[in-house]
Amino acid sequence: MAAPPTPPAWNRAADPFVELVSADAITRRVAELGATITADYRAIGAGEDVVVIGVLKGSVIFMSDLIRQVALPLTVDFIGVASYGDATVSSGVVQITQDLTRPIEGKHVLVVEDIVDTGHTVHYLMANLATRNPASIKLCSLLHKPDRAEREVHIDYLGFTIPNKFVVGYGLDVAQRYRNLPFIGYVAQP
Ligand code: IMP
């Protein structure tokens, strides 16, 4: 059988990212998270009632890899949120821009986020979803920047703790760009 085609390499000279978390490290951590999530939800007998909710748009790449590492009969849904502020600083005012397509009452909800930064978005979102009477609600975040925390947020499943850098790649953007980088990095200062 022919070898799979190699994806095109990024031109790191033209787009000088400093790699913070490699694609291989992400793959390994996502597999670990998936195994833990599978075991935990089996242990509580969640059965057919697990709903994984991706927070648009940053979580979509992480979520698509994660759910393929979770051996449970789950369903997926998405929610869109906007946090007002400038490009890189959250104001703390959060709004739902696109709601779930189905009720979550009685379901075991796992919210999947790209990053917990100040914590405002997740704080608002978890409180909002909790009012809809799910059987349980947990948070899985790929990244956490503890230096920036303004709200206390409990992260049930965490990929990586990172320093206070504005990161891009693997779903995360700056001005909607670079979500398709296969690794997580930050833009090097000239
Ligand atoms: P928070 O409300 O400050 O926790 O920020 C939540 C949202 O801001 C995340 O879901 C991201 O969309 C965005 N964000 C925060 N930090 C970064 C970053 O370093 N890179 C890209 N997006 C970020």
mmCIF file of all heavy atoms in Angstrom, residues 101-149:
data_model
loop_
_atom_site.group_PDB
_atom_site.id
_atom_site.type_symbol
_atom_site.label_atom_id
_atom_site.label_comp_id
_atom_site.label_asym_id
_atom_site.label_seq_id
_atom_site.Cartn_x
_atom_site.Cartn_y
_atom_site.Cartn_z
ATOM 1 N N THR A 101 -28.295 22.985 19.622
ATOM 2 C CA THR A 101 -29.421 22.581 18.771
ATOM 3 C C THR A 101 -30.425 21.714 19.525
ATOM 4 O O THR A 101 -31.545 21.530 19.074
ATOM 5 C CB THR A 101 -28.924 21.801 17.534
ATOM 6 O OG1 THR A 101 -28.204 20.647 17.983
ATOM 7 C CG2 THR A 101 -28.039 22.673 16.661
ATOM 8 N N ARG A 102 -30.006 21.147 20.680
ATOM 9 C CA ARG A 102 -30.889 20.251 21.430
ATOM 10 C C ARG A 102 -30.824 20.546 22.926
ATOM 11 O O ARG A 102 -29.788 21.004 23.413
ATOM 12 C CB ARG A 102 -30.456 18.797 21.241
ATOM 13 C CG ARG A 102 -30.789 18.272 19.865
ATOM 14 C CD ARG A 102 -30.057 16.979 19.609
ATOM 15 N NE ARG A 102 -30.579 16.367 18.404
ATOM 16 C CZ ARG A 102 -31.485 15.397 18.387
ATOM 17 N NH1 ARG A 102 -31.957 14.894 19.508
ATOM 18 N NH2 ARG A 102 -31.916 14.906 17.244
ATOM 19 N N PRO A 103 -31.894 20.210 23.656
ATOM 20 C CA PRO A 103 -31.843 20.386 25.118
ATOM 21 C C PRO A 103 -30.814 19.434 25.733
ATOM 22 O O PRO A 103 -30.537 18.369 25.178
ATOM 23 C CB PRO A 103 -33.254 19.987 25.582
ATOM 24 C CG PRO A 103 -34.087 19.864 24.365
ATOM 25 C CD PRO A 103 -33.187 19.667 23.197
ATOM 26 N N ILE A 104 -30.269 19.819 26.881
ATOM 27 C CA ILE A 104 -29.280 18.971 27.566
ATOM 28 C C ILE A 104 -29.807 18.455 28.896
ATOM 29 O O ILE A 104 -29.061 17.856 29.671
ATOM 30 C CB ILE A 104 -27.940 19.718 27.784
ATOM 31 C CG1 ILE A 104 -28.169 21.060 28.500
ATOM 32 C CG2 ILE A 104 -27.215 19.898 26.452
ATOM 33 C CD1 ILE A 104 -26.899 21.731 28.977
ATOM 34 N N GLU A 105 -31.101 18.656 29.156
ATOM 35 C CA GLU A 105 -31.689 18.182 30.416
ATOM 36 C C GLU A 105 -31.468 16.671 30.557
ATOM 37 O O GLU A 105 -31.737 15.905 29.627
ATOM 38 C CB GLU A 105 -33.187 18.493 30.434
ATOM 39 C CG GLU A 105 -33.793 18.134 31.767
ATOM 40 C CD GLU A 105 -35.162 18.773 31.967
ATOM 41 O OE1 GLU A 105 -35.616 19.523 31.085
ATOM 42 O OE2 GLU A 105 -35.763 18.495 33.015
ATOM 43 N N GLY A 106 -30.959 16.269 31.711
ATOM 44 C CA GLY A 106 -30.736 14.850 31.989
ATOM 45 C C GLY A 106 -29.510 14.254 31.322
ATOM 46 O O GLY A 106 -29.235 13.062 31.475
ATOM 47 N N LYS A 107 -28.749 15.057 30.590
ATOM 48 C CA LYS A 107 -27.564 14.556 29.879
ATOM 49 C C LYS A 107 -26.291 14.794 30.694
ATOM 50 O O LYS A 107 -26.219 15.719 31.512
ATOM 51 C CB LYS A 107 -27.403 15.273 28.523
ATOM 52 C CG LYS A 107 -28.609 15.168 27.627
ATOM 53 C CD LYS A 107 -28.784 13.764 27.100
ATOM 54 C CE LYS A 107 -29.908 13.698 26.090
ATOM 55 N NZ LYS A 107 -30.213 12.304 25.699
ATOM 56 N N HIS A 108 -25.279 13.976 30.415
ATOM 57 C CA HIS A 108 -23.953 14.184 30.996
ATOM 58 C C HIS A 108 -23.161 15.042 30.016
ATOM 59 O O HIS A 108 -22.763 14.560 28.954
ATOM 60 C CB HIS A 108 -23.264 12.848 31.255
ATOM 61 C CG HIS A 108 -23.933 12.055 32.335
ATOM 62 N ND1 HIS A 108 -23.747 12.323 33.676
ATOM 63 C CD2 HIS A 108 -24.819 11.030 32.268
ATOM 64 C CE1 HIS A 108 -24.473 11.481 34.395
ATOM 65 N NE2 HIS A 108 -25.138 10.688 33.573
ATOM 66 N N VAL A 109 -22.989 16.310 30.380
ATOM 67 C CA VAL A 109 -22.420 17.299 29.462
ATOM 68 C C VAL A 109 -20.921 17.458 29.701
ATOM 69 O O VAL A 109 -20.479 17.664 30.833
ATOM 70 C CB VAL A 109 -23.135 18.657 29.661
ATOM 71 C CG1 VAL A 109 -22.408 19.769 28.917
ATOM 72 C CG2 VAL A 109 -24.589 18.561 29.203
ATOM 73 N N LEU A 110 -20.163 17.376 28.608
ATOM 74 C CA LEU A 110 -18.722 17.668 28.666
ATOM 75 C C LEU A 110 -18.469 18.848 27.731
ATOM 76 O O LEU A 110 -18.602 18.730 26.506
ATOM 77 C CB LEU A 110 -17.901 16.453 28.224
ATOM 78 C CG LEU A 110 -16.384 16.661 28.217
ATOM 79 C CD1 LEU A 110 -15.858 16.945 29.631
ATOM 80 C CD2 LEU A 110 -15.676 15.438 27.632
ATOM 81 N N VAL A 111 -18.106 19.988 28.314
ATOM 82 C CA VAL A 111 -17.820 21.192 27.535
ATOM 83 C C VAL A 111 -16.346 21.154 27.129
ATOM 84 O O VAL A 111 -15.477 20.923 27.975
ATOM 85 C CB VAL A 111 -18.123 22.469 28.362
ATOM 86 C CG1 VAL A 111 -17.715 23.723 27.602
ATOM 87 C CG2 VAL A 111 -19.598 22.513 28.750
ATOM 88 N N VAL A 112 -16.081 21.371 25.842
ATOM 89 C CA VAL A 112 -14.702 21.338 25.341
ATOM 90 C C VAL A 112 -14.305 22.742 24.881
ATOM 91 O O VAL A 112 -14.916 23.306 23.970
ATOM 92 C CB VAL A 112 -14.550 20.324 24.194
ATOM 93 C CG1 VAL A 112 -13.124 20.358 23.643
ATOM 94 C CG2 VAL A 112 -14.897 18.920 24.681
ATOM 95 N N GLU A 113 -13.287 23.296 25.533
ATOM 96 C CA GLU A 113 -12.780 24.642 25.232
ATOM 97 C C GLU A 113 -11.355 24.557 24.692
ATOM 98 O O GLU A 113 -10.644 23.588 24.952
ATOM 99 C CB GLU A 113 -12.755 25.486 26.519
ATOM 100 C CG GLU A 113 -13.770 26.588 26.607
ATOM 101 C CD GLU A 113 -13.551 27.746 25.629
ATOM 102 O OE1 GLU A 113 -12.926 27.571 24.561
ATOM 103 O OE2 GLU A 113 -14.032 28.842 25.921
ATOM 104 N N ASP A 114 -10.945 25.595 23.979
ATOM 105 C CA ASP A 114 -9.559 25.638 23.531
ATOM 106 C C ASP A 114 -8.640 26.108 24.652
ATOM 107 O O ASP A 114 -7.583 25.536 24.891
ATOM 108 C CB ASP A 114 -9.405 26.521 22.279
ATOM 109 C CG ASP A 114 -9.961 27.934 22.442
ATOM 110 O OD1 ASP A 114 -10.569 28.256 23.492
ATOM 111 O OD2 ASP A 114 -9.803 28.740 21.496
ATOM 112 N N ILE A 115 -9.050 27.186 25.352
ATOM 113 C CA ILE A 115 -8.155 27.765 26.355
ATOM 114 C C ILE A 115 -8.956 28.477 27.441
ATOM 115 O O ILE A 115 -9.979 29.104 27.140
ATOM 116 C CB ILE A 115 -7.152 28.736 25.680
ATOM 117 C CG1 ILE A 115 -6.101 29.244 26.659
ATOM 118 C CG2 ILE A 115 -7.852 29.887 24.986
ATOM 119 C CD1 ILE A 115 -4.897 29.904 25.977
ATOM 120 N N VAL A 116 -8.528 28.325 28.668
ATOM 121 C CA VAL A 116 -9.055 29.144 29.754
ATOM 122 C C VAL A 116 -7.991 30.189 30.044
ATOM 123 O O VAL A 116 -6.882 29.871 30.469
ATOM 124 C CB VAL A 116 -9.378 28.306 31.010
ATOM 125 C CG1 VAL A 116 -9.826 29.214 32.148
ATOM 126 C CG2 VAL A 116 -10.454 27.268 30.701
ATOM 127 N N ASP A 117 -8.357 31.436 29.761
ATOM 128 C CA ASP A 117 -7.420 32.559 29.886
ATOM 129 C C ASP A 117 -7.809 33.329 31.152
ATOM 130 O O ASP A 117 -7.431 32.945 32.252
ATOM 131 C CB ASP A 117 -7.517 33.376 28.597
ATOM 132 C CG ASP A 117 -6.512 34.507 28.510
ATOM 133 O OD1 ASP A 117 -5.412 34.364 29.043
ATOM 134 O OD2 ASP A 117 -6.835 35.539 27.889
ATOM 135 N N THR A 118 -8.613 34.395 31.025
ATOM 136 C CA THR A 118 -9.079 35.074 32.240
ATOM 137 C C THR A 118 -10.095 34.206 32.997
ATOM 138 O O THR A 118 -10.301 34.379 34.190
ATOM 139 C CB THR A 118 -9.773 36.411 31.902
ATOM 140 O OG1 THR A 118 -10.926 36.145 31.110
ATOM 141 C CG2 THR A 118 -8.829 37.360 31.184
ATOM 142 N N GLY A 119 -10.773 33.313 32.264
ATOM 143 C CA GLY A 119 -11.795 32.457 32.871
ATOM 144 C C GLY A 119 -13.205 32.994 32.723
ATOM 145 O O GLY A 119 -14.170 32.308 33.060
ATOM 146 N N HIS A 120 -13.361 34.213 32.205
ATOM 147 C CA HIS A 120 -14.700 34.812 32.109
ATOM 148 C C HIS A 120 -15.632 33.992 31.214
ATOM 149 O O HIS A 120 -16.794 33.762 31.554
ATOM 150 C CB HIS A 120 -14.616 36.244 31.571
ATOM 151 C CG HIS A 120 -14.024 37.209 32.548
ATOM 152 N ND1 HIS A 120 -14.615 37.481 33.772
ATOM 153 C CD2 HIS A 120 -12.905 37.951 32.504
ATOM 154 C CE1 HIS A 120 -13.874 38.363 34.422
ATOM 155 N NE2 HIS A 120 -12.827 38.657 33.680
ATOM 156 N N THR A 121 -15.124 33.568 30.044
ATOM 157 C CA THR A 121 -15.988 32.862 29.090
ATOM 158 C C THR A 121 -16.525 31.570 29.691
ATOM 159 O O THR A 121 -17.735 31.303 29.675
ATOM 160 C CB THR A 121 -15.197 32.554 27.795
ATOM 161 O OG1 THR A 121 -14.690 33.783 27.288
ATOM 162 C CG2 THR A 121 -16.074 31.882 26.758
ATOM 163 N N VAL A 122 -15.629 30.773 30.232
ATOM 164 C CA VAL A 122 -16.027 29.479 30.776
ATOM 165 C C VAL A 122 -16.900 29.648 32.029
ATOM 166 O O VAL A 122 -17.849 28.895 32.227
ATOM 167 C CB VAL A 122 -14.759 28.643 31.059
ATOM 168 C CG1 VAL A 122 -14.969 27.634 32.139
ATOM 169 C CG2 VAL A 122 -14.302 27.982 29.765
ATOM 170 N N HIS A 123 -16.587 30.637 32.834
ATOM 171 C CA HIS A 123 -17.385 30.888 34.035
ATOM 172 C C HIS A 123 -18.846 31.161 33.638
ATOM 173 O O HIS A 123 -19.777 30.575 34.185
ATOM 174 C CB HIS A 123 -16.804 32.079 34.797
ATOM 175 C CG HIS A 123 -17.568 32.435 36.026
ATOM 176 N ND1 HIS A 123 -17.324 31.836 37.248
ATOM 177 C CD2 HIS A 123 -18.589 33.294 36.223
ATOM 178 C CE1 HIS A 123 -18.158 32.319 38.135
ATOM 179 N NE2 HIS A 123 -18.943 33.214 37.553
ATOM 180 N N TYR A 124 -19.024 32.030 32.656
ATOM 181 C CA TYR A 124 -20.365 32.369 32.183
ATOM 182 C C TYR A 124 -21.050 31.145 31.564
ATOM 183 O O TYR A 124 -22.208 30.841 31.852
ATOM 184 C CB TYR A 124 -20.279 33.505 31.155
ATOM 185 C CG TYR A 124 -21.592 33.786 30.478
ATOM 186 C CD1 TYR A 124 -22.541 34.614 31.065
ATOM 187 C CD2 TYR A 124 -21.906 33.182 29.254
ATOM 188 C CE1 TYR A 124 -23.757 34.842 30.453
ATOM 189 C CE2 TYR A 124 -23.113 33.403 28.638
ATOM 190 C CZ TYR A 124 -24.038 34.234 29.234
ATOM 191 O OH TYR A 124 -25.248 34.448 28.635
ATOM 192 N N LEU A 125 -20.310 30.455 30.708
ATOM 193 C CA LEU A 125 -20.879 29.339 29.962
ATOM 194 C C LEU A 125 -21.314 28.198 30.878
ATOM 195 O O LEU A 125 -22.418 27.651 30.730
ATOM 196 C CB LEU A 125 -19.822 28.833 28.978
ATOM 197 C CG LEU A 125 -20.285 27.938 27.868
ATOM 198 C CD1 LEU A 125 -21.384 28.599 27.058
ATOM 199 C CD2 LEU A 125 -19.094 27.606 26.974
ATOM 200 N N MET A 126 -20.477 27.824 31.824
ATOM 201 C CA MET A 126 -20.809 26.706 32.715
ATOM 202 C C MET A 126 -22.034 27.070 33.559
ATOM 203 O O MET A 126 -22.911 26.227 33.779
ATOM 204 C CB MET A 126 -19.621 26.353 33.615
ATOM 205 C CG MET A 126 -18.380 25.901 32.867
ATOM 206 S SD MET A 126 -18.597 24.452 31.826
ATOM 207 C CE MET A 126 -18.299 23.125 32.979
ATOM 208 N N ALA A 127 -22.112 28.320 34.010
ATOM 209 C CA ALA A 127 -23.272 28.744 34.813
ATOM 210 C C ALA A 127 -24.535 28.710 33.954
ATOM 211 O O ALA A 127 -25.598 28.248 34.392
ATOM 212 C CB ALA A 127 -23.030 30.151 35.365
ATOM 213 N N ASN A 128 -24.428 29.168 32.713
ATOM 214 C CA ASN A 128 -25.579 29.167 31.805
ATOM 215 C C ASN A 128 -26.061 27.740 31.544
ATOM 216 O O ASN A 128 -27.254 27.440 31.646
ATOM 217 C CB ASN A 128 -25.192 29.865 30.501
ATOM 218 C CG ASN A 128 -26.334 29.892 29.502
ATOM 219 O OD1 ASN A 128 -26.756 28.848 29.012
ATOM 220 N ND2 ASN A 128 -26.842 31.083 29.214
ATOM 221 N N LEU A 129 -25.132 26.845 31.212
ATOM 222 C CA LEU A 129 -25.524 25.469 30.876
ATOM 223 C C LEU A 129 -26.074 24.735 32.104
ATOM 224 O O LEU A 129 -26.968 23.901 31.981
ATOM 225 C CB LEU A 129 -24.332 24.713 30.280
ATOM 226 C CG LEU A 129 -23.841 25.247 28.927
ATOM 227 C CD1 LEU A 129 -22.586 24.491 28.479
ATOM 228 C CD2 LEU A 129 -24.927 25.161 27.855
ATOM 229 N N ALA A 130 -25.557 25.062 33.283
ATOM 230 C CA ALA A 130 -26.024 24.407 34.511
ATOM 231 C C ALA A 130 -27.506 24.691 34.770
ATOM 232 O O ALA A 130 -28.207 23.863 35.361
ATOM 233 C CB ALA A 130 -25.175 24.840 35.696
ATOM 234 N N THR A 131 -28.005 25.848 34.312
ATOM 235 C CA THR A 131 -29.427 26.178 34.535
ATOM 236 C C THR A 131 -30.351 25.303 33.678
ATOM 237 O O THR A 131 -31.557 25.296 33.879
ATOM 238 C CB THR A 131 -29.737 27.655 34.184
ATOM 239 O OG1 THR A 131 -29.540 27.850 32.778
ATOM 240 C CG2 THR A 131 -28.881 28.623 34.980
ATOM 241 N N ARG A 132 -29.781 24.567 32.725
ATOM 242 C CA ARG A 132 -30.610 23.731 31.833
ATOM 243 C C ARG A 132 -30.765 22.296 32.346
ATOM 244 O O ARG A 132 -31.181 21.405 31.609
ATOM 245 C CB ARG A 132 -29.999 23.729 30.427
ATOM 246 C CG ARG A 132 -29.764 25.147 29.896
ATOM 247 C CD ARG A 132 -29.224 25.132 28.492
ATOM 248 N NE ARG A 132 -28.696 26.438 28.104
ATOM 249 C CZ ARG A 132 -28.404 26.780 26.851
ATOM 250 N NH1 ARG A 132 -28.585 25.910 25.862
ATOM 251 N NH2 ARG A 132 -27.925 27.973 26.581
ATOM 252 N N ASN A 133 -30.407 22.087 33.598
ATOM 253 C CA ASN A 133 -30.600 20.810 34.306
ATOM 254 C C ASN A 133 -29.950 19.580 33.671
ATOM 255 O O ASN A 133 -30.610 18.546 33.502
ATOM 256 C CB ASN A 133 -32.105 20.534 34.520
ATOM 257 C CG ASN A 133 -32.737 21.622 35.349
ATOM 258 O OD1 ASN A 133 -32.130 22.099 36.308
ATOM 259 N ND2 ASN A 133 -33.930 22.045 34.959
ATOM 260 N N PRO A 134 -28.662 19.678 33.330
ATOM 261 C CA PRO A 134 -27.983 18.453 32.883
ATOM 262 C C PRO A 134 -27.795 17.500 34.069
ATOM 263 O O PRO A 134 -27.817 17.935 35.224
ATOM 264 C CB PRO A 134 -26.632 18.964 32.375
ATOM 265 C CG PRO A 134 -26.395 20.222 33.154
ATOM 266 C CD PRO A 134 -27.752 20.836 33.398
ATOM 267 N N ALA A 135 -27.591 16.209 33.789
ATOM 268 C CA ALA A 135 -27.316 15.247 34.869
ATOM 269 C C ALA A 135 -25.970 15.559 35.507
ATOM 270 O O ALA A 135 -25.792 15.402 36.718
ATOM 271 C CB ALA A 135 -27.328 13.821 34.313
ATOM 272 N N SER A 136 -25.002 15.965 34.687
ATOM 273 C CA SER A 136 -23.695 16.398 35.194
ATOM 274 C C SER A 136 -23.101 17.342 34.162
ATOM 275 O O SER A 136 -23.520 17.348 32.998
ATOM 276 C CB SER A 136 -22.755 15.203 35.421
ATOM 277 O OG SER A 136 -22.361 14.631 34.184
ATOM 278 N N ILE A 137 -22.132 18.142 34.610
ATOM 279 C CA ILE A 137 -21.467 19.049 33.672
ATOM 280 C C ILE A 137 -19.998 19.157 34.053
ATOM 281 O O ILE A 137 -19.664 19.400 35.223
ATOM 282 C CB ILE A 137 -22.176 20.423 33.604
ATOM 283 C CG1 ILE A 137 -21.460 21.338 32.610
ATOM 284 C CG2 ILE A 137 -22.312 21.068 34.948
ATOM 285 C CD1 ILE A 137 -22.307 22.520 32.161
ATOM 286 N N LYS A 138 -19.132 18.919 33.084
ATOM 287 C CA LYS A 138 -17.688 18.972 33.307
ATOM 288 C C LYS A 138 -17.036 19.776 32.195
ATOM 289 O O LYS A 138 -17.619 19.936 31.113
ATOM 290 C CB LYS A 138 -17.095 17.571 33.325
ATOM 291 C CG LYS A 138 -17.354 16.797 34.608
ATOM 292 C CD LYS A 138 -16.647 15.457 34.517
ATOM 293 C CE LYS A 138 -16.541 14.777 35.860
ATOM 294 N NZ LYS A 138 -15.750 13.531 35.716
ATOM 295 N N LEU A 139 -15.810 20.207 32.478
ATOM 296 C CA LEU A 139 -15.065 21.026 31.528
ATOM 297 C C LEU A 139 -13.757 20.345 31.132
ATOM 298 O O LEU A 139 -13.005 19.888 31.992
ATOM 299 C CB LEU A 139 -14.754 22.386 32.177
ATOM 300 C CG LEU A 139 -13.850 23.328 31.383
ATOM 301 C CD1 LEU A 139 -14.532 23.772 30.081
ATOM 302 C CD2 LEU A 139 -13.497 24.552 32.235
ATOM 303 N N CYS A 140 -13.514 20.321 29.828
ATOM 304 C CA CYS A 140 -12.232 19.861 29.300
ATOM 305 C C CYS A 140 -11.637 21.019 28.509
ATOM 306 O O CYS A 140 -12.261 21.515 27.571
ATOM 307 C CB CYS A 140 -12.449 18.655 28.386
ATOM 308 S SG CYS A 140 -10.936 18.065 27.605
ATOM 309 N N SER A 141 -10.443 21.469 28.894
ATOM 310 C CA SER A 141 -9.793 22.559 28.154
ATOM 311 C C SER A 141 -8.416 22.101 27.694
ATOM 312 O O SER A 141 -7.666 21.504 28.471
ATOM 313 C CB SER A 141 -9.668 23.804 29.036
ATOM 314 O OG SER A 141 -9.079 24.861 28.296
ATOM 315 N N LEU A 142 -8.108 22.404 26.449
ATOM 316 C CA LEU A 142 -6.791 22.039 25.928
ATOM 317 C C LEU A 142 -5.693 22.788 26.681
ATOM 318 O O LEU A 142 -4.679 22.220 27.049
ATOM 319 C CB LEU A 142 -6.732 22.371 24.431
ATOM 320 C CG LEU A 142 -5.386 22.152 23.758
ATOM 321 C CD1 LEU A 142 -5.013 20.670 23.735
ATOM 322 C CD2 LEU A 142 -5.396 22.731 22.343
ATOM 323 N N LEU A 143 -5.919 24.096 26.921
ATOM 324 C CA LEU A 143 -4.877 24.941 27.500
ATOM 325 C C LEU A 143 -5.403 25.736 28.687
ATOM 326 O O LEU A 143 -6.600 26.053 28.760
ATOM 327 C CB LEU A 143 -4.348 25.929 26.449
ATOM 328 C CG LEU A 143 -3.787 25.340 25.152
ATOM 329 C CD1 LEU A 143 -3.469 26.459 24.169
ATOM 330 C CD2 LEU A 143 -2.560 24.488 25.419
ATOM 331 N N HIS A 144 -4.489 26.104 29.574
ATOM 332 C CA HIS A 144 -4.819 26.975 30.709
ATOM 333 C C HIS A 144 -3.644 27.925 30.921
ATOM 334 O O HIS A 144 -2.496 27.499 30.920
ATOM 335 C CB HIS A 144 -5.036 26.133 31.971
ATOM 336 C CG HIS A 144 -5.453 26.930 33.161
ATOM 337 N ND1 HIS A 144 -5.111 26.580 34.443
ATOM 338 C CD2 HIS A 144 -6.188 28.060 33.263
ATOM 339 C CE1 HIS A 144 -5.629 27.460 35.295
ATOM 340 N NE2 HIS A 144 -6.289 28.379 34.603
ATOM 341 N N LYS A 145 -4.008 29.221 31.057
ATOM 342 C CA LYS A 145 -2.983 30.230 31.348
ATOM 343 C C LYS A 145 -3.239 30.751 32.758
ATOM 344 O O LYS A 145 -3.913 31.770 32.932
ATOM 345 C CB LYS A 145 -3.176 31.418 30.379
ATOM 346 C CG LYS A 145 -2.270 31.434 29.183
ATOM 347 C CD LYS A 145 -2.411 32.776 28.479
ATOM 348 C CE LYS A 145 -2.904 32.651 27.081
ATOM 349 N NZ LYS A 145 -3.167 33.937 26.420
ATOM 350 N N PRO A 146 -2.738 30.089 33.784
ATOM 351 C CA PRO A 146 -3.089 30.462 35.160
ATOM 352 C C PRO A 146 -2.666 31.874 35.536
ATOM 353 O O PRO A 146 -3.315 32.510 36.376
ATOM 354 C CB PRO A 146 -2.372 29.413 36.024
ATOM 355 C CG PRO A 146 -1.429 28.709 35.132
ATOM 356 C CD PRO A 146 -1.860 28.902 33.723
ATOM 357 N N ASP A 147 -1.609 32.408 34.894
ATOM 358 C CA ASP A 147 -1.135 33.761 35.229
ATOM 359 C C ASP A 147 -2.185 34.823 34.929
ATOM 360 O O ASP A 147 -2.098 35.942 35.426
ATOM 361 C CB ASP A 147 0.117 34.113 34.403
ATOM 362 C CG ASP A 147 1.303 33.266 34.794
ATOM 363 O OD1 ASP A 147 1.210 32.548 35.805
ATOM 364 O OD2 ASP A 147 2.316 33.304 34.063
ATOM 365 N N ARG A 148 -3.155 34.508 34.079
ATOM 366 C CA ARG A 148 -4.125 35.509 33.639
ATOM 367 C C ARG A 148 -5.479 35.359 34.336
ATOM 368 O O ARG A 148 -6.408 36.110 34.040
ATOM 369 C CB ARG A 148 -4.330 35.352 32.131
ATOM 370 C CG ARG A 148 -3.047 35.582 31.341
ATOM 371 C CD ARG A 148 -3.124 36.800 30.511
ATOM 372 N NE ARG A 148 -4.342 36.871 29.748
ATOM 373 C CZ ARG A 148 -4.915 38.007 29.358
ATOM 374 N NH1 ARG A 148 -4.372 39.158 29.689
ATOM 375 N NH2 ARG A 148 -6.022 37.983 28.654
ATOM 376 N N ALA A 149 -5.598 34.419 35.256
ATOM 377 C CA ALA A 149 -6.902 34.101 35.841
ATOM 378 C C ALA A 149 -7.518 35.291 36.567
ATOM 379 O O ALA A 149 -6.869 35.946 37.387
ATOM 380 C CB ALA A 149 -6.759 32.922 36.792
#
